[in-house]
mmCIF file with all atom_site columns, all heavy atoms in Angstrom:
data_model
loop_
_atom_site.group_PDB
_atom_site.id
_atom_site.type_symbol
_atom_site.label_atom_id
_atom_site.label_alt_id
_atom_site.label_comp_id
_atom_site.label_asym_id
_atom_site.label_entity_id
_atom_site.label_seq_id
_atom_site.pdbx_PDB_ins_code
_atom_site.Cartn_x
_atom_site.Cartn_y
_atom_site.Cartn_z
_atom_site.occupancy
_atom_site.B_iso_or_equiv
_atom_site.pdbx_formal_charge
_atom_site.auth_seq_id
_atom_site.auth_comp_id
_atom_site.auth_asym_id
_atom_site.auth_atom_id
_atom_site.pdbx_PDB_model_num
ATOM 1  N N   . PRO A 1 18 ? -77.916 -131.487 53.600 1.00 0.00 ? 18 PRO A N   1
ATOM 2  C CA  . PRO A 1 18 ? -78.961 -132.094 52.791 1.00 0.00 ? 18 PRO A CA  1
ATOM 3  C C   . PRO A 1 18 ? -80.313 -131.914 53.471 1.00 0.00 ? 18 PRO A C   1
ATOM 4  O O   . PRO A 1 18 ? -80.385 -131.797 54.697 1.00 0.00 ? 18 PRO A O   1
ATOM 5  C CB  . PRO A 1 18 ? -78.561 -133.568 52.746 1.00 0.00 ? 18 PRO A CB  1
ATOM 6  C CG  . PRO A 1 18 ? -77.770 -133.782 53.989 1.00 0.00 ? 18 PRO A CG  1
ATOM 7  C CD  . PRO A 1 18 ? -77.128 -132.485 54.334 1.00 0.00 ? 18 PRO A CD  1
ATOM 8  N N   . PHE A 1 19 ? -81.365 -131.884 52.662 1.00 0.00 ? 19 PHE A N   1
ATOM 9  C CA  . PHE A 1 19 ? -82.680 -131.780 53.266 1.00 0.00 ? 19 PHE A CA  1
ATOM 10 C C   . PHE A 1 19 ? -83.400 -133.108 53.182 1.00 0.00 ? 19 PHE A C   1
ATOM 11 O O   . PHE A 1 19 ? -83.705 -133.563 52.119 1.00 0.00 ? 19 PHE A O   1
ATOM 12 C CB  . PHE A 1 19 ? -83.530 -130.719 52.593 1.00 0.00 ? 19 PHE A CB  1
ATOM 13 C CG  . PHE A 1 19 ? -84.939 -130.759 53.075 1.00 0.00 ? 19 PHE A CG  1
ATOM 14 C CD1 . PHE A 1 19 ? -85.228 -130.323 54.342 1.00 0.00 ? 19 PHE A CD1 1
ATOM 15 C CD2 . PHE A 1 19 ? -85.936 -131.300 52.297 1.00 0.00 ? 19 PHE A CD2 1
ATOM 16 C CE1 . PHE A 1 19 ? -86.526 -130.380 54.824 1.00 0.00 ? 19 PHE A CE1 1
ATOM 17 C CE2 . PHE A 1 19 ? -87.233 -131.368 52.776 1.00 0.00 ? 19 PHE A CE2 1
ATOM 18 C CZ  . PHE A 1 19 ? -87.519 -130.906 54.030 1.00 0.00 ? 19 PHE A CZ  1
ATOM 19 N N   . ALA A 1 20 ? -83.629 -133.701 54.296 1.00 0.00 ? 20 ALA A N   1
ATOM 20 C CA  . ALA A 1 20 ? -84.443 -134.903 54.334 1.00 0.00 ? 20 ALA A CA  1
ATOM 21 C C   . ALA A 1 20 ? -84.755 -135.198 55.785 1.00 0.00 ? 20 ALA A C   1
ATOM 22 O O   . ALA A 1 20 ? -83.862 -135.245 56.618 1.00 0.00 ? 20 ALA A O   1
ATOM 23 C CB  . ALA A 1 20 ? -83.709 -136.061 53.715 1.00 0.00 ? 20 ALA A CB  1
ATOM 24 N N   . GLU A 1 21 ? -86.040 -135.362 56.088 1.00 0.00 ? 21 GLU A N   1
ATOM 25 C CA  . GLU A 1 21 ? -86.410 -135.753 57.453 1.00 0.00 ? 21 GLU A CA  1
ATOM 26 C C   . GLU A 1 21 ? -86.053 -137.227 57.680 1.00 0.00 ? 21 GLU A C   1
ATOM 27 O O   . GLU A 1 21 ? -85.639 -137.633 58.721 1.00 0.00 ? 21 GLU A O   1
ATOM 28 C CB  . GLU A 1 21 ? -87.885 -135.557 57.700 1.00 0.00 ? 21 GLU A CB  1
ATOM 29 C CG  . GLU A 1 21 ? -88.264 -134.152 58.059 1.00 0.00 ? 21 GLU A CG  1
ATOM 30 C CD  . GLU A 1 21 ? -88.645 -133.352 56.847 1.00 0.00 ? 21 GLU A CD  1
ATOM 31 O OE1 . GLU A 1 21 ? -89.273 -133.949 55.954 1.00 0.00 ? 21 GLU A OE1 1
ATOM 32 O OE2 . GLU A 1 21 ? -88.322 -132.153 56.784 1.00 0.00 ? 21 GLU A OE2 1
ATOM 33 N N   . THR A 1 22 ? -86.284 -137.997 56.627 1.00 0.00 ? 22 THR A N   1
ATOM 34 C CA  . THR A 1 22 ? -86.010 -139.421 56.725 1.00 0.00 ? 22 THR A CA  1
ATOM 35 C C   . THR A 1 22 ? -84.685 -139.708 56.035 1.00 0.00 ? 22 THR A C   1
ATOM 36 O O   . THR A 1 22 ? -84.237 -138.941 55.198 1.00 0.00 ? 22 THR A O   1
ATOM 37 C CB  . THR A 1 22 ? -87.109 -140.219 56.017 1.00 0.00 ? 22 THR A CB  1
ATOM 38 O OG1 . THR A 1 22 ? -87.210 -139.728 54.687 1.00 0.00 ? 22 THR A OG1 1
ATOM 39 C CG2 . THR A 1 22 ? -88.435 -140.064 56.707 1.00 0.00 ? 22 THR A CG2 1
ATOM 40 N N   . ASP A 1 23 ? -84.030 -140.790 56.423 1.00 0.00 ? 23 ASP A N   1
ATOM 41 C CA  . ASP A 1 23 ? -82.813 -141.185 55.720 1.00 0.00 ? 23 ASP A CA  1
ATOM 42 C C   . ASP A 1 23 ? -83.194 -141.715 54.356 1.00 0.00 ? 23 ASP A C   1
ATOM 43 O O   . ASP A 1 23 ? -84.011 -142.622 54.233 1.00 0.00 ? 23 ASP A O   1
ATOM 44 C CB  . ASP A 1 23 ? -82.100 -142.298 56.519 1.00 0.00 ? 23 ASP A CB  1
ATOM 45 C CG  . ASP A 1 23 ? -81.187 -141.671 57.556 1.00 0.00 ? 23 ASP A CG  1
ATOM 46 O OD1 . ASP A 1 23 ? -80.771 -140.532 57.324 1.00 0.00 ? 23 ASP A OD1 1
ATOM 47 O OD2 . ASP A 1 23 ? -80.906 -142.332 58.571 1.00 0.00 ? 23 ASP A OD2 1
ATOM 48 N N   . ILE A 1 24 ? -82.579 -141.149 53.340 1.00 0.00 ? 24 ILE A N   1
ATOM 49 C CA  . ILE A 1 24 ? -82.847 -141.681 52.018 1.00 0.00 ? 24 ILE A CA  1
ATOM 50 C C   . ILE A 1 24 ? -81.881 -142.826 51.783 1.00 0.00 ? 24 ILE A C   1
ATOM 51 O O   . ILE A 1 24 ? -80.674 -142.620 51.815 1.00 0.00 ? 24 ILE A O   1
ATOM 52 C CB  . ILE A 1 24 ? -82.612 -140.601 50.937 1.00 0.00 ? 24 ILE A CB  1
ATOM 53 C CG1 . ILE A 1 24 ? -83.296 -139.319 51.340 1.00 0.00 ? 24 ILE A CG1 1
ATOM 54 C CG2 . ILE A 1 24 ? -83.108 -141.069 49.594 1.00 0.00 ? 24 ILE A CG2 1
ATOM 55 C CD1 . ILE A 1 24 ? -82.796 -138.149 50.556 1.00 0.00 ? 24 ILE A CD1 1
ATOM 56 N N   . SER A 1 25 ? -82.413 -144.000 51.581 1.00 0.00 ? 25 SER A N   1
ATOM 57 C CA  . SER A 1 25 ? -81.528 -145.099 51.227 1.00 0.00 ? 25 SER A CA  1
ATOM 58 C C   . SER A 1 25 ? -81.199 -144.941 49.756 1.00 0.00 ? 25 SER A C   1
ATOM 59 O O   . SER A 1 25 ? -82.063 -145.048 48.892 1.00 0.00 ? 25 SER A O   1
ATOM 60 C CB  . SER A 1 25 ? -82.216 -146.432 51.509 1.00 0.00 ? 25 SER A CB  1
ATOM 61 O OG  . SER A 1 25 ? -83.495 -146.427 50.936 1.00 0.00 ? 25 SER A OG  1
ATOM 62 N N   . SER A 1 26 ? -79.950 -144.624 49.485 1.00 0.00 ? 26 SER A N   1
ATOM 63 C CA  . SER A 1 26 ? -79.555 -144.304 48.124 1.00 0.00 ? 26 SER A CA  1
ATOM 64 C C   . SER A 1 26 ? -79.679 -145.548 47.246 1.00 0.00 ? 26 SER A C   1
ATOM 65 O O   . SER A 1 26 ? -79.394 -146.656 47.660 1.00 0.00 ? 26 SER A O   1
ATOM 66 C CB  . SER A 1 26 ? -78.127 -143.803 48.088 1.00 0.00 ? 26 SER A CB  1
ATOM 67 O OG  . SER A 1 26 ? -78.065 -142.596 48.777 1.00 0.00 ? 26 SER A OG  1
#
Side-chain angles (χ1 to χ4, degrees):
Chain A
F19 172 72
E21 277 92 37
T22 54
D23 272 335
I24 312 164
S25 49
S26 295

